[in-house]
Amino acid sequence: MEIYNITPNLKLLNLQPPIPGYGKFIGAYLFCGEKNAIIDVGPKAAIPNLLRALAELNLSPDEIDYIVLTHIHIDHAGGAGTAAREISKAKVLAHSRAIPHLVDPAMLWQTSLKTLGELAVKYGEIEPVPEHRIIAATDRMKLDLGRGLTLEIYLTPGHATHHLSIFDRASGVLIAGEAAGVCIEGTVRPPTPPPFKLEENLSSIDKLISLKPQKLCYIHFGCYDNAGERLKAYRQKLIDWHKTVGAAARDGKSPEEILQLLRKEDNSLSYLDQLDRDEYAREFALLINSIKGLAGSVQKH
Ligand SMILES: [Zn+2]
């Protein structure tokens, strides 16, 4: 477990669930004002590390006022119920579409098992969040944490229908969840699993660009300057990949063949050559899923 200082009131926690290839992939963010807010908690398997990070920062779990979930995929929020038990005073803020699945995660768990198989088991079974602890996020709502720290919430569907992003206007920090892609050591690639919605994701990126953020923070993984440039480049990459994947899928190519094609067309995918075996297996599986989502999104057009 590692802790990075991003700004004087923001830290990035590397949650490092005990899964090979996941040593630098799943983050959570901690905003500290008079009140404190955690953005995403990771899967259940990462909660011991999340609690360890709080202890290392001399924060009692009772001092956390909010848990904000960018979306409820298992790698971001699978541990929300477990975390809420330990972090017992925090309200859990999530998209209204996500709330029924937080209260009763049975279907979410079954879907996770079906799509991720053994990986879902390693992430850990999803526990429910008590309904009275949950607040429904609305677009442009504000969380005042005191000491001049206010978090603005923006609904940013596309990667998931229940996705939201968090903006700290005072510092220009944008936590874009997965709305702005996945960033591996500086290289950005689309996370577009089925049922991916291209137009929604593009609109969400436009909304984020209009905020004029300075620093872009990815849950997968880390914070980078030049947020506006990064968002614009990612918007174009989504359009380019959508075109390439769509044409190849219409030609009857398999997702694996399409990945080969993308590796020839998009130099940025050379980051795959730098990964160790477990990281490569993780990225390969996620990229195949992204290609399936893009192909599905094309077919619906
Ligand atoms: Zn994710």
Side-chain angles (χ1 to χ4, degrees):
M1 194 263 311
E2 297 157 338
I3 300 172
Y4 303 86
N5 291 313
I6 306 300
T7 68
N9 54 23
L10 177 63
K11 294 181 193 310
L12 163 59
L13 319 176
N14 181 2
L15 294 177
Q16 297 184 312
I19 303 172
Y22 284 71
K24 203 173 179 187
F25 188 63
I26 300 180
Y29 289 89
L30 174 66
F31 279 105
C32 297
E34 243 161 73
K35 294 180 175 177
N36 303 305
I38 295 175
I39 316 298
D40 284 358
V41 295
K44 183 178 184 175
I47 300 305
N49 276 346
L50 177 70
L51 297 172
R52 226 166 271 148
L54 296 182
E56 208 159 294
L57 294 164
N58 290 318
L59 272 172
S60 136
D62 284 353
E63 290 177 275
I64 304 299
D65 301 275
Y66 297 103
I67 292 171
V68 181
L69 302 173
T70 62
H71 60 301
I72 54 162
H73 288 163
I74 190 170
D75 51 328
H76 299 253
T82 314
R85 215 170 344 98
E86 303 290 334
I87 302 172
S88 60
K89 294 193 174 143
K91 291 285 183 192
V92 178
L93 187 93
H95 194 293
S96 57
R97 280 173 175 266
I99 293 174
H101 301 287
L102 289 172
V103 174
D104 179 6
M107 204 169 87
L108 192 59
W109 174 238
Q110 287 310 319
T111 311
S112 303
L113 275 176
K114 211 172 106 191
T115 49
L116 303 175
E118 193 54 34
L119 177 59
V121 176
K122 288 181 184 154
Y123 277 148
E125 190 163 352
I126 305 171
E127 295 182 74
V129 179
E131 198 164 6
H132 70 272
R133 301 274 304 276
I134 303 174
I135 306 173
T138 52
D139 198 34
R140 294 165 203 279
M141 80 185 285
K142 290 181 180 174
L143 285 185
D144 184 354
L145 300 184
R147 290 192 202 130
L149 179 59
T150 302
L151 304 184
E152 300 174 16
I153 310 293
Y154 293 91
L155 304 188
T156 48
H159 170 72
T161 56
H162 44 84
H163 193 286
L164 52 84
S165 302
I166 298 99
F167 186 46
D168 170 16
R169 196 172 289 272
S171 66
V173 168
L174 173 66
I175 297 181
E178 276 183 72
V182 161
C183 185
I184 308 297
E185 303 291 350
T187 301
V188 179
R189 58 114 176 125
T192 53
F196 176 65
K197 304 256 174 31
L198 177 71
E199 298 302 332
E200 284 189 9
N201 205 151
L202 295 178
S203 304
S204 293
I205 295 170
D206 290 337
K207 192 182 203 175
L208 296 177
I209 290 171
S210 75
L211 299 174
K212 299 195 168 58
Q214 305 291 314
K215 208 181 262 300
L216 186 54
C217 294
Y218 303 87
I219 296 294
H220 313 295
F221 182 93
C223 295
Y224 294 84
D225 291 332
N226 301 322
E229 295 307 309
R230 288 190 151 262
L231 286 164
K232 281 179 207 151
Y234 181 60
R235 191 185 196 286
Q236 191 56 47
K237 189 181 284 274
L238 271 183
I239 293 169
D240 293 345
W241 277 41
H242 185 256
K243 205 167 142 197
T244 302
V245 171
R250 274 193 297 274
D251 285 350
K253 288 202 164 56
S254 70
E256 289 77 9
E257 288 168 329
I258 297 174
L259 179 55
Q260 281 306 111
L261 186 68
L262 285 168
R263 287 183 83 160
K264 273 187 213 135
E265 284 190 6
D266 186 339
N267 285 336
S268 75
L269 281 174
S270 62
Y271 83 93
L272 290 168
D273 303 327
Q274 314 301 321
L275 303 176
D276 71 25
R277 202 188 51 164
D278 292 322
E279 291 167 330
Y280 180 85
R282 178 199 78 210
E283 282 302 290
F284 182 83
L286 291 169
L287 278 162
I288 292 296
N289 222 14
S290 286
I291 289 166
K292 287 179 184 166
L294 284 167
S297 157
V298 171
Q299 278 151 17
K300 272 177 222 129
H301 266 67

